[in-house]
Amino acid sequence: MLILGIESSCDETAAAVVRDGYEVLSSVIHTQIALHAPHGGVVPEIASRSHIEKIPSVIRRAVEEAGCSFGDIDAVAVTYGPGLASSLLVGLSAAKGLATALGKPLIGIDHIEAHIQSAFLAPESPRKEDFLPLLALVVSGGHSAIIRVGTEGRPRVIGQTLDDAAGEAFDKAAQLLGLGYPGGPAIQKAALSAHGELGYEFPKGHISRDNPALGCLRADLCFSFSGLKTSLRTYLQKNPVRDEEHRNRIAAAYQDAIVDALASRCAKALKSGKCKGFAVGGGVSLNAALRARLKEVAEEAGVPIFLPEPKYCGDNAAMIAALAGTGAGIRGDAAFLLDATPNLTFA
Ligand code: KG4
Ligand code: ZN
């Protein structure tokens, strides 16, 4: 079964062909970072226009590089949410048109669930199905969630950020520190160059139990990053950056706070969740300090950890086609009726 995946939820235009859910035959990603960098973040209007311009050639290349033809494709899978409405619409419209023209099924895929699948895309990687129930941490520029995938394969959010996403926290800090966009790689690079401690700890995003935004989620599995950003701003007002070393130490302390917030909540979830494995995905999962810390957390909990290859950490379409290949997603006539769903959450 060959599935063509299409992804356009944010600032990457991507297409990929995956065989039987696990074998990636091609994965083409056109990133818009250079277009958004001068603005310090993603501009939706610029993003959707670029998707429209690039999507035909990205899809064509994915099919060519897979060594097949459009006639060989058995189904078209596409992200329908969450993400930017005007960006999602481009991929969704392309996929509906293509599936209709080819006379093939359309499969609507949840972007966050697909990030979990990205941890199982390496050629030697085991099958996700063998590690259910599975705990997953998805951390990107738009989302930060701890998810439990049950034995029947259904994902459920058990913890999340109550405000900013982890990637957003990195991006905003980089802006405050004058380190450019995207912030994650810039903060990581600065943190790596720090030669000593800052001597100041940023808050670890703890949530009080009576926070109304929790709904039915556990306070000790949720986190907040908006206070962290504010505390950096306050710190910088009182302690303006003195030199390169000072900036690097601030970056390292800030990164520590994010890593600690995420890792401590995952450790708690693994303690209480009786999971067989731990998967991580999303752009922030590229962060070396986070990867190292999460490996320790998994080891302490006695479960295997599955981390995506760097090329599958950020947004890509291989994860979309792969997840569709495992049987997930909206299918049949319902798929052709799907609308772009910016705030899509698991049912
Ligand atoms: O998954 P992704 O490519 O797009 C979204 O769906 O948001 O994630 C992008 C985010 C950005 O906020 C970027 O700063 C962050 O991932 N990121 C990192 C690193 N590389 C990218 N954050 C921390 N450390 C990194 N090395
Ligand atoms: Zn993403």
Side-chain angles (χ1 to χ4, degrees):
M1 174 103 170
L2 283 189
I3 298 188
L4 169 68
I6 297 175
E7 154 67 38
S8 70
S9 64
C10 190
D11 59 345
E12 265 88 28
T13 316
V17 177
V18 176
R19 180 183 281 135
D20 299 330
Y22 285 89
E23 192 188 346
V24 183
L25 302 186
S26 67
S27 174
V28 178
I29 304 169
H30 174 265
T31 179
Q32 304 174 357
I33 283 180
L35 292 179
H36 301 292
H39 306 278
V42 178
V43 182
E45 166 82 11
I46 294 176
S48 56
R49 282 171 186 268
S50 174
H51 286 309
I52 286 180
E53 194 187 321
K54 298 292 177 193
I55 211 161
S57 59
V58 166
I59 293 174
R60 227 176 289 123
R61 265 185 59 205
V63 173
E64 269 168 31
E65 288 179 17
C68 63
S69 68
F70 280 102
D72 299 323
I73 300 295
D74 296 300
V76 179
V78 64
T79 306
Y80 70 101
L84 300 169
S86 52
S87 286
L88 289 163
L89 278 172
V90 178
L92 193 55
S93 307
K96 283 185 182 181
L98 195 54
T100 305
L102 296 173
K104 299 291 178 180
L106 178 71
I107 305 167
I109 291 293
D110 180 310
H111 180 85
I112 302 300
E113 192 179 354
H115 268 303
I116 302 173
Q117 199 66 33
S118 69
F120 298 90
L121 288 179
E124 71 287 357
S125 149
R127 308 231 146 191
K128 186 179 81 184
E129 291 75 5
D130 295 333
F131 292 90
L132 301 178
L134 177 81
L135 189 80
L137 172 70
V138 175
V139 268
S140 72
H143 312 276
S144 295
I146 299 176
I147 295 152
R148 189 176 192 274
V149 185
T151 43
E152 72 304 333
R154 275 176 66 105
R156 190 166 56 88
V157 173
I158 58 168
Q160 64 186 6
T161 176
L162 298 189
D163 38 60
D164 294 352
E168 218 175 332
F170 274 113
D171 294 337
K172 287 178 177 169
Q175 218 170 8
L176 287 173
L177 290 168
L179 288 169
Y181 175 85
I187 298 268
Q188 166 165 319
K189 191 163 168 248
L192 274 173
S193 310
H195 295 297
E197 303 280 319
L198 179 65
Y200 178 84
E201 274 197 22
F202 290 105
K204 308 282 162 61
H206 292 288
I207 303 285
S208 81
R209 275 183 202 193
D210 52 12
N211 189 317
L214 277 171
C216 46
L217 294 175
R218 271 171 51 181
D220 61 348
L221 298 184
C222 290
F223 33 88
S224 152
F225 288 124
S226 66
L228 175 62
K229 178 194 61 194
T230 309
S231 78
L232 173 60
R233 185 175 294 121
T234 312
Y235 175 89
L236 289 173
Q237 276 160 3
K238 291 185 191 150
N239 311 274
V241 176
R242 291 189 295 276
D243 52 26
E244 210 55 24
E245 174 60 17
H246 185 211
R247 191 198 312 266
N248 293 343
R249 288 184 187 191
I250 298 172
Y254 190 87
Q255 176 178 269
D256 273 357
I258 296 180
V259 168
D260 201 74
L262 297 172
S264 61
R265 307 318 189 269
C266 289
K268 284 220 173 79
L270 280 172
K271 237 179 223 156
S272 50
K274 296 193 183 74
C275 288
K276 281 197 199 163
F278 178 31
V280 188
V284 180
S285 68
L286 271 170
N287 187 274
L290 179 65
R291 287 172 95 96
R293 198 50 204 291
L294 293 178
K295 279 183 192 164
E296 289 170 12
V297 164
E299 202 171 318
E300 275 162 29
V303 296
I305 184 166
F306 305 108
L307 290 155
E309 288 182 73
K311 63 182 171 191
Y312 300 131
C313 284
D315 289 346
N316 67 87
M319 66 185 192
I320 306 301
L323 182 61
T326 67
I330 309 285
R331 291 160 187 257
D333 291 345
F336 284 94
L337 293 172
L338 281 173
D339 192 4
T341 312
N343 298 318
L344 183 65
T345 48
F346 306 129

